[in-house]
Amino acid sequence: MEHLNQHPDKYELDIDSPIDSRSDESDDTIEQINSLELTRINTYRLQQKTTVGSTRGPTPRDRWLPMGANKEYPPLLPDSEDYVVEFDGANDPLHPYNWSTPRRIMLVCILCYGTFAGSFTSAVFSAAISGFSKEFNTSTEIGSLGVTLYVLGFAAGPTIWAPGSELIGRRWPLSLGLFGCAIFTVACAVAKDIQTIMICRFFAGLFSASPISVVPAVFADLFNNTQRGVVMSIFCMAVFIGPFSAPFVGGFIAMSSLGWRWIMYISAIMVFLGFVLVFVFLEETYAPVILVRKAATLRRQTRNWGIHAKQDEVEVDLTELLRNNFARPVVMLVTEPILLFVSLYISFVYGLIYALLGAYPVVFEGVYGMSMGVGGLAFIGLIIGELLGGIYILLIQGSYKAKLAANGDKPIPEWRLGPAIIGAVFFAGGMFWFGWTGYTSSIHWMAPVASGLLTGAGIFLIFLQCFNYIVDCYPSLAASTIAANTILRSAIGCSFPLFSRQMMENLGVQWAGTMLGCIAIVMIPIPVLFKSRLPTQSRFMMEYPTNKQIIFGPDWDISRWTASDDRVRGGSSVSNLEPTAEGVLFHGNLDIETLGGAGFASQRTVGNEQVWDLTGHDGFELHIVPLDGNRYTFSLTDEIPQRRPDGREQSALVWEYDFCASETGRVVRLSWKDLKPTYRGKPVEDARLLDLSHIRRFRIMIRSFFGAQQGNFSLNIQSMGVFRESYPDNPTVTKEFIGRGDEQTELKETREKKSWLPNCCPS
């Protein structure tokens, strides 16, 4: 340490050695690992960190607990990555992708049944409202709260179950959720007062949200992208068929000698059966937890207690949980027109599902004089419509996969909206059909029942496709997107049961149906406009001019970046890079005490195989959101340094540019001449030219500048990319410059080839 303190400038500026070797596997190692497996590993590590993991760095040494018994702290593992267990290639039988097809199909059936039972329980209380109101001598509006509070529990539940499933795996959250729903449903059946029933209904909904939020994650564990669309369609059918099958099942139970309390008992039995099936047959599917168990087995077998899984390193951070599951979703709802309007549309459709629970009895029991059970059979029309919508989605999966393959497996969000537009028309037509055929008994009851074919198909197509659309729009923020949609959808949807019956009775069936149909027509332009134009207004889906090319962002893959801080020199600085609603957040703590006034923290790209060709462009741009007044450094290099015998990288020639976040605004633009060649942080006067056709590494860094800045830092980076400028005399000519000191050296002129052939002809 004394040696380091004697030369702080040297060790501050020599930053080309990694903290650890895990971010820079050798070429031999990379060739040995299947590329699919590398993708999985990076995905799992990113998933753990961004869901529940702490972004704090290591605890300062002076805060460490003592070893005890006068023991010194043991040395760190020589290379911690060597002790991290992974899957044994892409065909490892432990990985859920490689489980047998019958086994996975069985799990799909079990999980869809559990989802069906939970959604069935949400709506079945509507059949118990009459008996409940008579027993407790209260109004039907109070009785409708039993449905409202259950759906409100749906809004709160995902904020618990989703992050929980990322921390402890899928099996226990699913088991606890179904078990809790069954217990609170039994409590509703035996309750002696209204307050107990309403409280228990809310908590039953909260626990029932477990399969709603976790089952899609299980399917992501079990199936790849090409297979997942089919099982997700089946899952959505289970979600919607549950509420539509509840009225006639509950109606016949309520009409029998069993009474309304047995509606709750039977619902609890159904959910409890789902719990037993999940608990007995569902093995853990979350890969990081599977690796935790594998590591535990290896520790016992080898007696090497350093072996561990990456999941063992995850810390639960309450601040991160609140930010990712509450703060960020709310911010996105307020600032993102795509998410806001599409979520409002989904919320309206979702709310109508529960509104129909009150509307159908007005028509089929009030107008046609049917009994509660027989009148509930009218919901079969909606169920058939849901099934038809699901079949249509399954039929078009082939064309979607073909477009996906033709586009290099990169989904275009707007591809999802075609079926949603069809569903929007069906949905509006179904509402008008229902209103103007169900208001009088002179029209056969089959007419309003048949309207459910259009309504059910429309609901399914709108909900599934719009939901997939917003997830495709924000793939790196999918968790926050789903949370935002769930919160708004459940908050709005839970209110519909409170007024749907009164609306039908006071306005009349025909005019209430007309009003709903008109609202549906007004909302048809939402998928139409977003399909053609509105996504360009999103700051998270920035469309750049053709003379710019984005390299990183706005949807960042942070698994391609790693920290490179002064800890490799014995310092204490730490940097983190994590996804945000506006790109990524480069933040941490810059320490200058440990190294006597020096210090640096940085993030750089990983891997030795990636090469970027930046020729034909005039410079580099960083789109940022200034959060402090610190000075940062952007750098790149055209070579990967050789490794020393101790495994650390040697220093290399890099090209740097310093900028102050508060002075540059939201765009940092630098031409190639602005980049200064440096070696170990010191300017190089006669450096060779930077090879723009062979860029190997990018870095974003903060350093102390010999004590000028220290402490916490934070910089939000939306994107990084290159730009090209056209010249007035000839817009097809661009020039490239490379900085050599303050000189401006023209390298070459390039003329862009312009084809005058029609688009259908090859150039």
Side-chain angles (χ1 to χ4, degrees):
M1 185 62 69
E2 292 179 359
H3 175 68
L4 295 178
N5 291 338
Q6 290 172 1
H7 305 281
D9 56 333
K10 173 181 177 181
Y11 292 98
E12 177 189 7
L13 300 174
D14 185 9
I15 63 173
D16 293 300
S17 298
I19 296 175
D20 54 56
S21 62
R22 68 185 175 202
S23 60
D24 290 283
E25 298 92 342
S26 66
D27 292 335
D28 292 337
T29 303
I30 291 176
E31 291 174 358
Q32 294 172 1
I33 302 178
N34 186 285
S35 60
L36 173 61
E37 186 58 24
L38 283 175
T39 301
R40 289 177 180 173
I41 291 170
N42 289 332
T43 300
Y44 297 143
R45 295 181 180 181
L46 170 63
Q47 190 176 29
Q48 297 154 24
K49 180 178 179 181
T50 58
T51 306
V52 296
S54 172
T55 57
R56 295 171 296 184
T59 304
R61 188 183 181 92
D62 58 0
R63 300 181 188 175
W64 292 2
L65 294 174
M67 287 291 295
N70 295 321
K71 292 182 180 180
E72 295 292 332
Y73 294 113
L76 297 176
L77 297 176
D79 188 348
S80 62
E81 188 68 12
D82 291 340
Y83 293 80
V84 175
V85 297
E86 308 285 6
F87 287 106
D88 188 19
N91 297 318
D92 190 335
L94 285 178
H95 197 287
Y97 276 12
N98 302 316
W99 293 357
S100 67
T101 299
R103 180 183 180 186
R104 289 186 291 165
I105 291 176
M106 179 191 70
L107 293 179
V108 169
C109 294
I110 290 173
L111 294 171
C112 285
Y113 170 77
T115 303
F116 166 82
S119 61
F120 174 90
T121 306
S122 71
V124 77
F125 193 83
S126 63
I129 291 176
S130 178
F132 165 85
S133 301
K134 290 179 181 178
E135 179 172 333
F136 291 101
N137 192 27
T138 187
S139 65
T140 56
E141 288 79 8
I142 297 297
S144 298
L145 282 174
V147 178
T148 292
L149 291 173
Y150 193 103
V151 178
L152 196 60
F154 277 166
T159 61
I160 300 173
W161 304 115
S165 73
E166 303 290 346
L167 183 64
I168 63 175
R170 318 297 193 195
R171 184 170 179 264
W172 282 109
L174 279 170
S175 300
L176 291 174
L178 290 169
F179 182 76
C181 178
I183 292 298
F184 279 104
T185 303
V186 170
C188 289
V190 300
K192 302 301 181 183
D193 54 62
I194 297 175
Q195 299 92 317
T196 302
I197 292 176
M198 296 306 165
I199 292 173
C200 289
R201 284 292 291 175
F202 171 79
F203 281 102
L206 186 144
F207 278 91
S208 182
S210 171
I212 298 293
S213 55
V214 177
V215 167
V218 177
F219 290 163
D221 297 337
L222 292 171
F223 300 96
N224 58 33
N225 290 333
T226 59
Q227 301 168 327
R228 198 177 305 139
V230 175
V231 294
M232 281 304 298
S233 297
I234 298 173
F235 166 76
C236 286
M237 290 182 196
V239 171
F240 291 126
I241 291 175
F244 290 150
S245 61
F248 60 84
V249 175
F252 283 117
I253 297 173
M255 291 170 55
S256 69
S257 59
L258 296 176
W260 73 270
R261 290 184 181 272
W262 267 96
I263 295 177
M264 296 292 97
Y265 280 125
I266 292 176
S267 300
I269 292 171
M270 292 174 59
V271 176
F272 191 77
L273 175 61
F275 158 72
V276 172
L277 292 173
V278 167
F279 188 79
V280 173
F281 294 104
L282 179 63
E283 298 181 45
E284 184 54 60
T285 64
Y286 188 41
V289 174
I290 294 175
L291 292 177
V292 167
R293 297 175 181 176
K294 178 180 178 180
T297 301
L298 283 172
R299 285 195 297 269
R300 291 191 297 270
Q301 292 175 340
T302 64
R303 316 305 290 178
N304 186 335
W305 307 113
I307 294 175
H308 67 284
K310 273 294 175 182
Q311 185 78 350
D312 292 320
E313 301 175 4
V314 174
E315 293 182 59
V316 179
D317 191 327
L318 181 60
T319 302
E320 291 296 303
L321 283 172
L322 293 176
R323 188 177 66 82
N324 291 340
N325 293 281
F326 291 100
R328 184 191 294 163
V330 172
V331 170
M332 292 183 69
L333 275 177
V334 173
T335 59
E336 281 300 291
I338 294 174
L339 184 59
L340 176 61
F341 286 107
V342 174
S343 294
L344 283 173
Y345 194 15
I346 292 176
S347 300
F348 172 68
V349 173
Y350 184 76
L352 195 68
I353 295 174
Y354 292 94
L356 293 176
L357 298 178
Y360 265 48
V362 173
V363 172
F364 295 101
E365 296 175 30
V367 176
Y368 292 99
M370 298 179 181
S371 64
M372 184 183 300
V374 175
L377 291 173
F379 283 91
I380 292 178
L382 289 164
I383 294 175
I384 296 175
E386 297 277 357
L387 293 174
L388 292 175
I391 292 172
Y392 173 70
I393 293 296
L394 295 178
L395 290 176
I396 65 173
Q397 281 295 308
S399 62
Y400 179 79
K401 292 177 184 177
K403 290 192 290 186
L404 198 63
N407 199 45
D409 288 332
K410 295 180 180 179
I412 303 299
E414 287 73 24
W415 289 346
R416 302 283 192 180
L417 294 179
I421 295 172
I422 297 174
V425 176
F426 283 178
F427 180 63
M431 286 292 94
F432 283 111
W433 185 347
F434 175 72
W436 287 97
T437 59
Y439 74 98
T440 175
S441 59
S442 62
I443 300 176
H444 197 277
W445 57 265
M446 280 296 295
V449 170
S451 71
L453 299 177
L454 287 183
T455 305
I459 288 174
F460 187 88
L461 293 175
I462 293 170
F463 189 94
L464 179 62
Q465 295 304 99
C466 286
F467 188 82
N468 286 332
Y469 168 71
I470 59 176
V471 171
D472 286 348
C473 285
Y474 311 96
S476 65
L477 299 172
S480 296
T481 301
I482 294 171
N485 178 267
T486 300
I487 292 171
L488 183 63
R489 182 182 77 230
S490 298
I492 293 178
C494 71
S495 64
F496 275 66
L498 298 177
F499 63 80
S500 58
R501 177 183 287 269
Q502 293 83 346
M503 179 181 67
M504 285 288 175
E505 292 175 344
N506 295 330
L507 292 180
V509 174
Q510 68 273 43
W511 296 114
T514 299
M515 184 182 70
L516 293 175
C518 289
I519 295 175
I521 288 178
V522 170
M523 289 188 168
I524 289 177
I526 291 179
V528 175
L529 292 176
F530 279 123
K531 182 175 175 62
S532 60
R533 184 174 65 252
L534 285 185
T536 59
Q537 299 177 6
S538 170
R539 61 176 173 172
F540 302 119
M541 299 177 62
M542 296 178 290
E543 291 192 2
Y544 291 87
T546 56
N547 65 337
K548 299 183 182 181
Q549 178 182 342
I550 301 305
I551 299 177
F552 303 105
D555 296 321
W556 289 67
D557 179 5
I558 63 172
S559 64
R560 298 173 62 186
W561 293 75
T562 188
S564 183
D565 306 325
D566 60 18
R567 285 178 290 167
V568 71
R569 303 296 183 194
S572 300
S573 299
V574 60
S575 68
N576 299 283
L577 195 71
E578 61 174 303
T580 69
E582 294 185 318
V584 291
L585 182 66
F586 173 53
H587 70 108
N589 182 269
L590 178 62
D591 173 76
I592 66 173
E593 301 295 332
T594 305
L595 297 182
F600 65 87
S602 71
Q603 291 279 331
R604 63 171 176 81
T605 52
V606 300
N608 299 336
E609 70 283 355
Q610 178 70 60
V611 177
W612 290 272
D613 184 357
L614 306 186
T615 57
H617 297 86
D618 295 321
F620 208 84
E621 275 190 355
L622 292 84
H623 288 250
I624 65 172
V625 179
L627 299 176
D628 57 32
N630 289 323
R631 184 166 294 277
Y632 295 87
T633 301
F634 166 78
S635 67
L636 49 79
T637 184
D638 57 6
E639 62 178 326
I640 297 294
Q642 298 295 320
R643 289 188 179 274
R644 300 169 180 169
D646 61 4
R648 289 163 47 188
E649 289 183 348
Q650 299 177 1
S651 298
L653 188 64
V654 299
W655 281 258
E656 298 181 349
Y657 178 79
D658 299 328
F659 64 92
C660 183
S662 61
E663 296 174 357
T664 56
R666 297 181 67 93
V667 178
V668 179
R669 170 175 279 209
L670 56 114
S671 62
W672 301 131
K673 67 182 179 64
D674 296 323
L675 290 167
K676 309 300 181 184
T678 63
Y679 181 77
R680 297 170 68 97
K682 298 180 180 179
V684 178
E685 296 297 332
D686 297 319
R688 61 176 175 81
L689 297 177
L690 174 65
D691 185 359
L692 287 175
S693 67
H694 199 257
I695 301 301
R696 305 299 302 277
R697 181 173 290 174
F698 296 92
R699 185 193 303 268
I700 187 73
M701 176 177 62
I702 184 171
R703 51 189 171 189
S704 68
F705 290 102
F706 305 103
Q709 56 187 17
Q710 62 176 312
N712 294 332
F713 62 89
S714 184
L715 178 67
N716 205 320
I717 309 173
Q718 292 178 320
S719 65
M720 294 182 180
V722 289
F723 67 88
R724 180 173 59 247
E725 293 179 343
S726 298
Y727 289 85
D729 57 337
N730 189 345
T732 66
V733 177
T734 63
K735 296 186 178 182
E736 299 171 23
F737 298 95
I738 297 295
R740 177 185 286 172
D742 292 328
E743 298 178 4
Q744 181 171 296
T745 305
E746 182 177 328
L747 289 182
K748 63 181 179 179
E749 290 188 354
T750 60
R751 292 184 179 272
E752 299 176 347
K753 180 180 179 181
K754 178 176 284 188
S755 173
W756 299 99
L757 298 175
N759 292 334
C760 59
C761 301
S763 57

